[in-house]
Amino acid sequence: MVQVIEWVNPGEDEIIWRYPNEVIKWGAQLIVHEYEVAIFMRDGKVYDVFGPGRHTITTQNLPLLYKLVGGSNSPFKATVIFVSMKQFQGRYGGETQTRELAPVKYYGVYWFKVADPVLFLTEVVGGQSLYDTADVTKFIRAYFNEGMMKHLSAYSIVDLFQNLDMVSTQVKVKLMEDFRRLGLELVDVKIEGVNTTDEWRQRLFWIMQTGNAQAVMQMDTAKQVAHELGQSEGAGLGTGMVVMPQLLQQPAQPTQPAQPYAGGGVPPAGYQNPQQPAQPATQSQQQTQEICPYCGKPIPPGARFCPYCGHEIKRCPNGHIVPEGAKFCPVCGAKIE
Ligand SMILES: [Zn+2]
Ligand SMILES: [Zn+2]
C-alpha cells in the first residue's frame, strides 16, 4: 500500500498538525491542500518544504533529507509538519504598569497568520519543541501579551486613557515587528478596554481637570489632592488656592504656545499673528468649556453624562464637576450628597 501523508479535515483553529508516523517511505504520496505548507523536519531542524499540490516523495524532491540519510532507499525517519497559512484570531488580556507605575488592566483581540513557515517552524515549533496547535497557540498568546505589557508600560496613564487610538496604533507597529521575528504576520490588533484602580482614576480626573500632570503626580495620592482642595465647607476654595494655586489657575485645555513673530526683530505695533487672530469670545468659551474627566473630550455645559464615553459626570450643588467619591466640591467647598 502506498503511504499517504495528508492533513485530513483541519479544524477552524488549527495552525499546525504533525503527521503521526515518523517513518517515511520513498514513493509516499504527500497531499498539501490550499493555504497549507508541509515541512519535513528532523531533530528540530527544517529540511524540505512543499507547497499545495500532490507530491510523490522521491530522492529528487527531498534532496536535503536524502543526503542526510546517506543516500539510502530504505524508509527514513522524519517529522512532517503541516502549517496552515490561514488567518487566526486570538484574544488577549493582562496587567501592566504605566510609566508612572499606575496599574493598568487591558484586553482585546488580535489577528495573525503565518508569513514565513520555515522561520515559524525554526523559531516556534522546532525551537520551543511545540508540536501541536494548543501549545503553539498558547505560546503565541503569551508572546503577544509579553510584548503588549512591555510596550504599554512606555506610556503615561493620560496617554492610555486620553489618547488610546494613538497608543494602539504605535503599539501595533511594535508588536508587528515582534511577530515578524517569529515568521508570523500580525494582521491587526484591537485594544477593547483599559482600566485602572479607583485611586488612579481619581488622579487621572485631576490631571484632566487641571491639565497639570506633574503637579498631580507630586501629590502623594489623588485623595490627598481632593482632600486638600475640599477640606472644609466654605473654606475649600481658599485652602485649595493656597495649597495648589498652579493647579486651579491652569485652564482645563492645554493652551497653544504663542506663535513667534516670523518677520524677525520686534513685531510692528498692532501686529497680530495671522494664525492666531485675537478672538476674545472663543477664548473665553474655551476656558469655560468642560472636559469629561474620564475620556478627555469636551462635553456640553451642565451635562450629567458624557456623550462620548457615557460616564456619569458627578457635580456639586453649584454645578462644578467633582471626582468620584469626593465629599466636598474642590472648587466651592459645597458638601456633596
Ligand atoms: Zn467621557
Ligand atoms: Zn462646587
Side-chain angles (χ1 to χ4, degrees):
M1 245 192 83
V2 177
Q3 184 179 20
V4 177
I5 305 170
E6 180 184 9
W7 188 2
V8 182
N9 293 328
E12 203 51 12
D13 298 325
E14 286 192 77
I15 185 163
I16 67 159
W17 181 72
R18 173 161 61 162
Y19 176 62
N21 187 351
E22 294 224 313
V23 179
I24 312 294
K25 290 178 196 146
W26 297 107
Q29 293 295 300
L30 173 69
I31 298 167
V32 184
H33 298 275
E34 282 294 307
Y35 301 108
E36 284 177 18
V37 170
I39 298 180
F40 284 71
M41 295 180 83
R42 214 166 125 135
D43 306 321
K45 268 195 195 152
V46 169
Y47 286 90
D48 298 287
V49 181
F50 293 85
R54 187 181 261 275
H55 312 271
T56 303
I57 299 303
T58 65
T59 56
Q60 255 110 73
N61 60 15
L62 217 53
L64 297 176
L65 266 176
Y66 184 58
K67 220 193 238 166
L68 187 78
V69 298
S72 153
N73 280 333
S74 47
F76 62 95
K77 275 196 84 175
T79 307
V80 186
I81 306 268
F82 287 81
V83 179
S84 172
M85 303 297 284
K86 288 181 184 158
Q87 185 171 308
F88 296 94
Q89 189 194 67
R91 296 205 66 89
Y92 65 90
E95 290 178 36
T96 188
Q97 288 183 325
T98 64
R99 213 165 52 200
E100 315 91 337
L101 307 181
V104 171
K105 287 185 180 171
Y106 58 86
Y107 60 92
V109 199
Y110 62 105
W111 292 266
F112 66 97
K113 62 183 178 189
V114 175
D116 181 339
V118 171
L119 183 59
F120 173 65
L121 281 205
T122 307
E123 289 292 317
V124 180
V125 179
Q128 313 285 327
S129 299
L130 308 174
Y131 291 98
D132 70 68
T133 284
D135 290 342
V136 167
T137 310
K138 213 167 116 190
F139 174 84
I140 293 173
R141 187 184 301 127
Y143 183 81
F144 179 92
N145 241 341
E146 211 173 283
M148 192 60 136
M149 275 163 75
K150 186 181 82 195
H151 298 315
L152 282 184
S153 68
Y155 290 91
S156 74
I157 189 154
V158 174
D159 283 337
L160 278 188
F161 283 83
Q162 217 177 351
N163 306 315
L164 189 60
D165 284 351
M166 177 270 286
V167 172
S168 297
T169 309
Q170 292 180 357
V171 164
K172 197 193 296 179
V173 170
K174 292 194 182 114
L175 286 166
M176 281 173 174
E177 283 163 24
D178 296 341
F179 266 57
R180 217 166 288 141
R181 258 175 256 140
L182 296 186
L184 292 169
E185 181 192 340
L186 185 62
V187 179
D188 205 1
V189 180
K190 208 170 133 199
I191 300 180
E192 291 181 326
V194 287
N195 209 345
T196 187
T197 59
D198 286 349
E199 178 82 357
W200 276 95
R201 224 175 289 120
Q202 283 211 5
R203 204 172 285 200
L204 197 56
F205 171 93
W206 287 111
I207 294 170
M208 290 197 179
Q209 286 302 294
T210 61
N212 192 336
Q214 219 189 344
V216 173
M217 288 307 165
Q218 278 160 3
M219 301 297 282
D220 265 358
T221 64
K223 271 181 193 140
Q224 188 191 340
V225 182
H227 179 75
E228 296 287 356
L229 292 176
Q231 221 173 17
S232 58
E233 278 171 287
L237 183 63
T239 316
M241 294 307 272
V242 172
V243 176
M244 308 268 314
Q246 77 278 36
L247 270 182
L248 287 181
Q249 281 161 15
Q250 291 253 338
Q253 284 198 332
T255 44
Q256 288 193 329
Q259 298 278 335
Y261 169 62
V266 181
Y271 168 80
Q272 284 193 340
N273 191 316
Q275 283 167 320
Q276 280 199 314
Q279 280 181 325
T282 322
Q283 206 74 25
S284 71
Q285 257 173 26
Q286 265 181 6
Q287 291 193 353
T288 54
Q289 174 70 63
E290 290 182 331
I291 301 293
C292 169
Y294 305 99
C295 70
K297 299 210 168 81
I299 53 174
R304 294 197 51 212
F305 290 90
C306 170
Y308 298 98
C309 70
H311 210 290
E312 188 183 354
I313 308 292
K314 293 243 164 67
R315 288 175 187 278
C316 83
N318 297 320
H320 304 121
I321 299 179
V322 297
E324 271 180 301
K327 293 201 165 57
F328 298 98
C329 171
V331 181
C332 68
K335 201 168 181 169
I336 290 152
E337 299 297 304

